Structures are given as C-alpha cells and as structure tokens.
Amino acid sequence: MTFPQKTEAPLYEAVKKASCASARFCTPGHSGRADDGLFASAPYDLTELEGLDNLSCPAGAIKRAEELAAKAQWCAHALFATEGSTVCMHIALSLAKERGQVGYIGDMHKSFFGGCALLGIEPTGFESVEDFLSKSPKTRNVSSIFYTSPDYFGNVKEDGALIKECEKDGILTVVDAAHGAHFAYSGLLPEASAGRADISFCSMHKTMNAFTGGALLNLKDDTLYDKAVYYRQLWHTTSPSYVVMASMDYARAKSEAYGERIYERIAKERKRFESLAKGCAFTVEKSDDISRIVLCFNGCDASEVNSYLTENGIYPEAAIGDRLIFIITEGNADCLAELYAALKGYAPAKKLASVAAVKRERKRAVGEVAFVPPDEAEGRVLMNEVGFYPPGTPFIKRGEVVTAEDIKTIKKNAANTFGLVNGRLVVLQ
C-alpha cells in the first residue's frame, strides 16, 4: 500500500525496516525465519530493538504512532494496547476506582465485571441513560459512569445529555466503544466517542485492517494521561506484539487516506444487498453503523442459519437470538452478493423458545469459591459472570442466585458459554 505523501505511518515503517535484518539473536525464538504460510509474518514479529521504541515507556516510533492515532480520533491522547479492549477496560476501571463509586448503564461486556472483581469494585447499575438522568446526584452516588456505545448491533447511545450532566456534576464518563474504532474515518458513520467522553476505548481489530488484539485507549484531555500510562504499565504485558502495533499504525494511516472512499463503497454495496434481499426469509434491521448488517429471521433461531452458512464457507460475526450479525469492511464488501446467493430461498425451521424476564435474587458475593457441575448449582450464589460469547454480555452476574432455568440454558449452550471453569460453575463456598 502506498499512502499519499502527507500520510505518516512511523511504527509500520520502522517495523518494515527492522524486518530486513540479516541475522537476529533476540526474542522471539523463531528469529524471523518463516517455515510455512502460518509464519509468513515472522520477519515482522519483533521485540524492543533499537529504533522500535518500547510500549512501557514510549518515546519514539510508538509514541509518534499514538500521537497520530489521537489526532485521527479527535482526542488528546491515544494509548496502544495489543491485548484488546479488555486491558483498556481494566486501565479505565483502575482510574475510576481512585475517584470513588463506579456506576454503569445497561449491558456491559464481561471484562467490566471481571475488572470490577479483580479490583474489589462493587458497581452500581442503571437500566438506561434515562434512568441515570432521572435520578439526583445524591441518589446516583457515583463518581464515574461506564456504558457501551455502539452496541453489538451497531447502534449508538444518545449520550449528549448524559455527557453534559456528568461534566456538570464532575462524573467521569467512560465509553466501551470496542466496535466503533472506524467511526472517526468517514462522515457516513456515527460520531466517535473519543474527544467527547473523558475516556473511551475501541478495538481496531474488530472493524479495521489491524491484527487481533489491537486496541486504543482514548483520553479527551491531559488530566488522566500520566495515570493512564502508569496503569498500562501495571496491566499490559511487557511483550506486546509489534505485528499488532504496526498493523494498528497501518490501519490508521490507510483509513485516514482512504476512509471516505471505503465507506462510500460499503454504503453502496449495503444498499444493493438490501434491495436484493426483499422477499427473503429475513429482514435487514436499521443500524446506526452502515458497516454493520443485522439480519432478523423473525422468531427463528439464527444459530441454525449460522451453522448453514458456516458449512458453506461463509462466516458471520455472531448469531444472537433470531438475529445474525455481519461486519462489513473493504475486504468483504464484494462478498455480499455471495451472502445473498447463499440465503436466497433459504428459511430456517427452528423457532426460538420465548424466555420470560426474570427478577433475580441477589446475595453478598464475598468468601471462598467452589467449582460445581451445573446440575448442582441451583440456589447457589454465583461468583463469576456467565453468558454467551459473542457478544460477551453476561446474563447471570456475580452475586446472583442460580436458578433451574439458568442451568437448562447453560447446558443447552455449553459450547459458547463463558464463565465456566472446566465445565463447572464458580459459586460461593
């Protein structure tokens, strides 16, 4: 890829240059020698060599790449991470804990609850933005508020009033924008959270040309920068992937140069797909993100469709209830015709069972843990969030009492259930 002359990709270029070394006597142990296709990127898998900077205390190519990422995201600072948004969540929680009580709105990823458990935080939950705003500052009693936007279906929260209220009351706003890294690069996409919320983080690998694990922690201003770097040193591995970091720098540079063109094409391909899909056994749901296609199979089990497509070499992002989710990028936009051809005339047979909302009993989750088979967990207090991945949102939370219906659900979905330890539930001893 040749970028326009004004486009910088300092870390990407530094890694490319170092990959040409004639002999390497340093980690990693493959020494940059490729054995087969899997190791094609081995020459670029490097360590903290001269000229490649150090993520623990960046001062050269990494620091410059972070500065360029921050500028692209319209915020003061952006910190690289190669362990996904999970490590960014834990850094943000560490910053929030210093201020006092932590709150959250709506569904959160399991990394939020896991981080709270690790840090000894008992968070306060609010059902919605409206629920939060309807309460007085004294009733809310939180010093920071976490929420997810966009959600897994590509829809963003209307958070303008929330951010304004929190600024007035001195409440830290933290947005899990894991699926919104690309928002900064096209006017056809929603406004990015970075630069509006105090802290936001996004996984570049989810929607951009970056390798798995590449994420950004974005800071609106200078206030938390030193502390954020400090907590990254505590949470992040000291062996970050230079392949991942270089790909992040590349993805940012490419999106800056060609983002508008890329998403204009995606919008065009989406419109063509929607036109072709009329009369099929699904409907295309509206999404704030044009690059997120959500197909609703109207009460039928989307996992059946997921299996059918996978058997035919087509991999969706996720099946959730009666909806099937697809992430559209420049790399697969031309495959929408193939997706339509596979789904044309196909209709799933399996209906979804209706699940009634459950009011859950909660107890204090403090003490030793025990590991029990699901069949022996009824009535026990859960000590580890349990849910399905994707999307990674728990349906039973730490401190809630396990019901017979929960056990049936877990056993039915054992293959994609998170929170189990060797097939057993983690409960209070």
Side-chain angles (χ1 to χ4, degrees):
M1 167 63 64
T2 301
F3 300 122
Q5 195 169 3
K6 64 180 180 180
T7 305
E8 280 187 78
L11 184 57
Y12 170 67
E13 295 296 343
V15 167
K16 270 207 312 181
K17 181 179 179 181
S19 72
C20 299
S22 59
R24 285 161 49 173
F25 300 93
C26 56
T27 62
H30 55 63
S31 301
R33 302 298 174 90
D35 289 334
D36 55 32
L38 178 64
F39 285 91
S41 61
Y44 308 96
D45 188 20
L46 296 153
T47 188
E48 291 83 0
L49 303 176
E50 183 78 22
L52 291 186
D53 208 358
N54 188 320
L55 188 64
S56 293
C57 47
I62 293 175
K63 185 172 180 61
R64 180 56 183 157
E66 290 183 329
E67 290 170 351
L68 290 166
K71 184 179 179 182
Q73 293 284 334
W74 297 90
C75 60
H77 300 282
L79 275 63
F80 276 21
T82 67
E83 299 172 66
S85 282
T86 293
V87 75
C88 297
M89 176 73 83
H90 293 168
I91 294 167
L93 281 167
S94 299
L95 292 164
K97 183 182 179 182
E98 291 188 355
R99 301 170 65 92
Q101 182 61 25
V102 174
Y104 68 96
I105 295 173
D107 290 336
M108 296 297 298
H109 189 265
K110 71 188 189 77
S111 60
F112 172 80
F113 300 103
C116 286
L118 289 168
L119 290 164
I121 296 170
E122 290 290 339
T124 301
F126 299 87
E127 290 183 8
S128 63
V129 170
E130 292 72 24
D131 177 37
F132 179 87
L133 291 175
S134 70
K135 294 177 169 57
S136 68
K138 186 175 181 181
T139 305
R140 293 174 197 144
N141 192 32
V142 296
S143 301
S144 61
I145 192 72
F146 286 66
Y147 57 98
T148 303
S149 182
D151 62 19
Y152 218 75
F153 302 99
N155 295 313
V156 300
K157 276 189 172 62
E158 292 292 337
D159 61 359
L162 172 68
I163 290 174
K164 186 176 180 180
E165 179 82 0
C166 289
E167 285 177 348
K168 179 172 69 74
D169 294 337
I171 297 171
L172 188 77
T173 48
V174 185
V175 184
D176 178 350
H179 285 264
H182 57 305
F183 283 4
Y185 301 101
S186 172
L188 296 175
L189 299 167
E191 184 181 3
S193 298
R196 295 190 305 111
D198 295 305
I199 303 173
S200 71
F201 45 87
C202 53
S203 294
M204 293 180 72
H205 70 92
K206 291 186 183 297
T207 58
M208 296 176 66
N209 278 15
F211 282 118
T212 298
L216 289 174
L217 178 74
N218 301 307
L219 304 172
K220 182 173 75 172
D221 55 37
D222 295 332
T223 312
L224 299 171
Y225 181 49
D226 289 342
K227 279 287 183 72
V229 172
Y230 164 68
Y231 280 120
R232 179 174 63 179
Q233 291 175 354
L234 297 183
W235 280 108
H236 202 285
T237 177
T238 56
S239 299
S241 168
Y242 275 79
V243 174
V244 171
M245 289 192 292
S247 74
M248 291 167 67
D249 194 31
Y250 172 93
R252 185 270 313 153
K254 183 173 185 180
S255 294
E256 276 195 296
Y258 306 112
E260 291 294 352
R261 187 189 308 176
I262 289 168
Y263 287 99
E264 283 171 7
R265 177 170 166 251
I266 287 172
K268 183 178 178 181
E269 294 295 337
R270 179 193 177 103
K271 187 176 181 180
R272 181 181 290 125
F273 176 81
E274 288 178 344
S275 178
L276 288 170
K278 290 174 182 175
C280 290
F282 56 83
T283 55
V284 183
E285 290 195 348
K286 179 186 176 299
S287 177
D288 294 328
D289 180 0
I290 60 167
S291 68
R292 186 67 52 114
I293 291 183
V294 181
L295 306 184
C296 179
F297 287 86
N298 307 306
C300 290
D301 192 343
S303 63
E304 179 187 335
V305 191
N306 189 31
S307 297
Y308 162 75
L309 288 174
T310 300
E311 288 168 5
N312 285 276
I314 299 172
Y315 290 86
E317 165 67 10
I320 301 175
D322 63 353
R323 292 183 285 180
L324 207 55
I325 302 167
F326 301 81
I327 297 173
I328 313 305
T329 67
E330 63 164 323
N332 63 25
D334 60 348
C335 297
L336 284 173
E338 182 182 350
L339 175 62
Y340 166 71
L343 290 175
K344 182 183 178 182
Y346 174 83
K350 187 178 179 182
K351 293 287 185 180
L352 276 176
S354 59
V355 180
V358 178
K359 184 164 184 173
R360 296 193 168 277
E361 180 185 359
R362 289 190 63 85
K363 293 187 178 179
R364 194 160 181 259
V366 177
E368 293 296 317
V369 301
F371 304 94
V372 301
D375 285 332
E376 298 175 18
E378 185 177 356
R380 303 290 291 271
V381 178
L382 197 68
M383 295 293 281
N384 192 23
E385 275 70 27
V386 172
F388 309 122
Y389 196 89
T393 303
F395 76 95
I396 324 175
K397 298 185 180 74
R398 177 185 174 93
E400 294 179 341
V401 176
V402 181
T403 67
E405 191 60 37
D406 292 334
I407 294 168
K408 288 181 187 176
T409 303
I410 290 167
K411 290 171 70 175
K412 180 182 175 183
N413 298 279
N416 66 325
T417 297
F418 67 78
L420 303 180
V421 174
N422 296 324
R424 293 173 291 175
L425 284 166
V426 187
V427 297
L428 185 64
Q429 182 70 269

